[in-house]
Amino acid sequence: MKRFCIIPFVLAVLCMLFNACQRRAAAETAEIVQPKEVRVLLPEHPYGDLLMSLIPEFENETGIRIIREQMNENLLNQKLTSEFTDGTSEVDVFMIRPLQETLLFLKNGWLAPLDEYDFSDYPSNTIEIGIRDGRYYVVPLIVEWQVLYYRKDLFQAAGLSVPVNFEELENAARLLNRDGVAGFAARGAGSPAVTQLSSFIYNYGGRYIENGVAVFDNPAAVDAIRLYGRLLGVYGPQGAITMSWNHIIPIFQAGRIAMWADTSVFNGQLIDPANTQFPAENIGIAKLPRGPAADQPYIVSAWGMCIFPETQDRESAMKFLTWASSKEMAQKAMIANITMARTSVWNDPSITARVNPGIADTMIHASQYGYPYDRPFITSAVQAREIIGEVIVESVNTRGTSPRLQALATQKAAEVNELLKADDEYGITR
C-alpha cells in the first residue's frame, strides 16, 4: 500500500523537474534570440534625415534594432548634456557639432575612444578636432569651408578676373560697387561675423587662440580685422553691420551683391530658380583669395558621430557608427548635395561630376591647406565670439580706420583670456 502512495509523489516531482527544465530552456532560447538594440540620437539635418530613411536597411542586414530619436540641434545638445550629467542616459551613438561640443564632452568623459575605427580616408584637418592624447573620439561626417561666391556676368562686364589675393579682392569690390550693387558682402553682425573673419585672420598669419592664449590682438590679426571692416564698411550692402548669412542671401538672390565670402553650404540656395532672380550659370564659386602670409581658409567638421563610453553593447554601437559613416553612405549623401568629409568621395569622378566644379575645387584646396577652426576653440566659445564681435563691429563702423582698434582688440583679448582661465584652458597647448 505504501509503495502505491509513493508512485504519484515521484511522478509529481518528475513533472515539476521536467517543467522547470522546459522553462529554463525557453528562457535560454529567448535570451539567445533577443534582438540587440542601439539607441541613436540624430539632429534634424539633411544627413540625419538620410540616416533615418535608411536605418531599416541596416536593421534588416544586421538584426540590430535601432531606437532612434531626431530633434533640432539645440534640443539635441540639451538632451545629451542633461542625460549625461544626470547619469541617466542609455544613448549609444549620437551626432554632435564638434566645434561646439567636443571640448565639454571630452572634459566630462562623455566620448568613448574609437581606437578600432579606420580614419585613413579623412583629411587630417577634419579629424584634428577630435584627437586627444593621440586617441580619436569623433568621426567627422560633414564639412564646411569658406568660399567666395561671385557674379560671373558682372565680372565679365567689368573686364575683371576672379581675385586671387586680398589686393585684387578689394580692387574688384571697388570697381563692382555701383548701380545699386554692393561690391562685397560678408557677415557684419558681431558674433556671427567671427567665423567668416577667421579665414582673413589666418591668411594674414594670425590666429584667435594660440597655445591656450588669445592672440587676435597681434598686428597681423588686427590688420585682417581692418581689411574686413574696410571691405564691409566701404563696399558692403547698406546695414552690413547688422547682417548675418540669412540677411545676405536674399540680397544676393535679388542681384544686388557682386561678391560674398561665406561658408560652402549656401550654393544650393543661391542657384534655386524659385528665389534667385538671375540665371544660376552667372554664379561662380572660388576659393577665398590668399592673404599676405597664407592661403589658408577655414575647413571645419560641422557634424561628427561619437559613441557614449557607458554603452552596454559597444560592438553593436560600433557597427552602427561604421555603417552610418561609411563610404557608401557618404556617396549617397554627396549625391544629395551634402558635403561629406571622406577624401575618397571627392576623388571619385562619378560623384564629383554631380557637384558644382567650384565646390569640388575649393574643397580639395581646403582639405589640403585649410585650418580646422572657424572660431576660438574653447569651452566658452559663445562668450568669446560675443567679445570678438565687438572688435569687428568697431572696424566695420569706422570702415577699418578706427584709431582705437588695436587697444580694443588688446582689451578684448584679455577678456577672452579670463574665459580661458575660468575654464582651466589658459596656456594649454592642444
Side-chain angles (χ1 to χ4, degrees):
M1 186 71 178
K2 291 182 180 178
R3 185 181 304 163
F4 290 110
C5 292
I6 292 173
I7 291 174
F9 174 77
V10 172
L11 290 174
V13 171
L14 290 173
C15 185
M16 291 174 61
L17 290 172
F18 177 77
N19 289 337
C21 289
Q22 278 193 317
R23 286 195 298 271
R24 180 177 178 183
E28 289 177 350
T29 301
E31 185 177 343
I32 292 172
V33 300
Q34 181 72 28
K36 295 183 176 182
E37 294 183 346
V38 173
R39 184 181 174 216
V40 177
L41 267 58
L42 302 171
E44 291 175 346
H45 178 279
Y47 196 65
D49 297 342
L50 180 65
L51 289 177
M52 290 288 284
S53 70
L54 296 176
I55 280 175
E57 295 182 11
F58 173 82
E59 292 177 318
N60 292 334
E61 291 173 4
T62 64
I64 300 171
R65 181 180 174 224
I66 302 301
I67 303 171
R68 61 265 202 188
E69 299 175 58
Q70 191 178 25
M71 60 204 74
N72 74 62
E73 58 190 45
N74 291 325
L75 184 57
L76 175 62
N77 172 269
Q78 293 169 13
K79 188 175 184 66
L80 289 170
T81 302
S82 176
E83 287 191 12
F84 293 163
T85 301
D86 294 344
T88 60
S89 183
E90 295 180 350
V91 68
D92 297 292
V93 183
F94 53 96
M95 284 175 63
I96 67 169
R97 298 165 296 181
L99 286 163
Q100 285 94 322
E101 290 136 6
T102 299
L103 279 178
L104 178 64
F105 282 26
L106 280 173
K107 277 185 177 182
N108 290 298
W110 295 340
L111 302 181
L114 305 174
D115 299 330
E116 64 267 56
Y117 190 88
D118 182 4
F119 285 89
S120 63
D121 193 25
Y122 297 93
S124 59
N125 51 13
T126 67
I127 60 177
E128 177 180 320
I129 194 169
I131 300 175
R132 283 296 175 275
D133 300 324
R135 304 184 81 181
Y136 300 82
Y137 292 84
V138 182
V139 175
L141 295 175
I142 299 151
V143 290
E144 299 177 10
W145 60 97
Q146 192 164 27
V147 300
L148 183 71
Y149 300 103
Y150 67 97
R151 287 279 301 276
K152 293 180 180 179
D153 53 332
L154 297 181
F155 270 78
Q156 184 176 5
L160 290 171
S161 299
V162 179
V164 299
N165 57 48
F166 283 163
E167 183 178 353
E168 292 182 7
L169 176 68
E170 186 167 9
N171 183 57
R174 177 178 60 83
L175 295 173
L176 296 169
N177 191 58
R178 62 188 184 188
D179 302 327
V181 175
F184 177 83
R187 303 181 199 183
S191 175
V194 169
T195 57
Q196 306 315 306
L197 169 68
S198 66
S199 295
F200 286 80
I201 288 180
Y202 305 153
N203 282 358
Y204 263 87
R207 293 284 185 267
Y208 283 127
I209 306 291
E210 197 163 48
N211 297 324
V213 178
V215 293
F216 58 86
D217 62 332
N218 69 25
V222 172
D223 284 346
I225 298 169
R226 286 195 186 279
L227 172 65
Y228 194 85
R230 187 165 68 248
L231 286 169
L232 277 184
V234 178
Y235 311 111
Q238 187 174 1
I241 199 68
T242 65
M243 291 183 178
S244 186
W245 60 268
N246 55 316
H247 305 103
I248 297 171
I249 285 178
I251 302 174
F252 191 101
Q253 291 172 323
R256 301 202 304 273
I257 292 174
M259 295 183 290
W260 176 31
D262 213 297
T263 184
S264 55
V265 300
F266 296 126
N267 175 57
Q269 291 173 259
L270 297 185
I271 63 174
D272 181 3
N275 295 301
T276 300
Q277 299 175 23
F278 54 90
E281 56 264 27
N282 286 341
I283 300 174
I285 302 173
K287 71 179 182 67
L288 188 75
R290 66 176 179 267
D295 189 4
Q296 193 175 47
Y298 71 72
I299 180 170
V300 297
S301 296
W303 284 98
M305 186 165 279
C306 309
I307 291 178
F308 187 45
E310 297 181 23
T311 176
Q312 298 302 301
D313 187 351
R314 182 181 173 91
E315 181 181 359
S316 295
M318 181 57 72
K319 281 184 180 179
F320 179 83
L321 182 147
T322 301
W323 170 82
S325 61
S326 66
K327 179 180 177 180
E328 292 71 25
M329 287 297 297
Q331 289 171 331
K332 292 176 181 179
M334 288 285 290
I335 293 171
N337 292 316
I338 304 171
T339 51
M340 302 301 288
R342 281 188 175 271
T343 301
S344 57
V345 295
W346 293 99
N347 291 333
D348 184 343
S350 68
I351 300 297
T352 55
R354 303 166 182 251
V355 177
N356 183 304
I359 289 291
D361 291 344
T362 55
M363 165 56 186
I364 291 171
H365 173 80
S367 69
Q368 293 175 340
Y369 305 105
Y371 191 65
Y373 309 104
D374 67 353
R375 67 202 70 188
F377 187 49
I378 63 176
T379 298
S380 298
V382 173
Q383 298 94 314
R385 288 178 65 174
E386 292 290 342
I387 292 169
I388 298 170
E390 296 181 45
V391 186
I392 299 172
V393 168
E394 173 71 14
S395 185
V396 177
N397 267 335
T398 62
R399 300 184 169 192
T401 65
S402 173
R404 60 186 288 267
L405 193 66
Q406 177 64 68
L408 181 63
T410 299
Q411 174 191 335
K412 297 304 175 182
E415 292 179 18
V416 171
N417 281 333
E418 291 304 312
L419 294 176
L420 287 163
K421 291 173 184 177
D423 292 331
D424 294 324
E425 295 170 6
Y426 183 76
I428 302 298
T429 302
R430 301 195 186 285

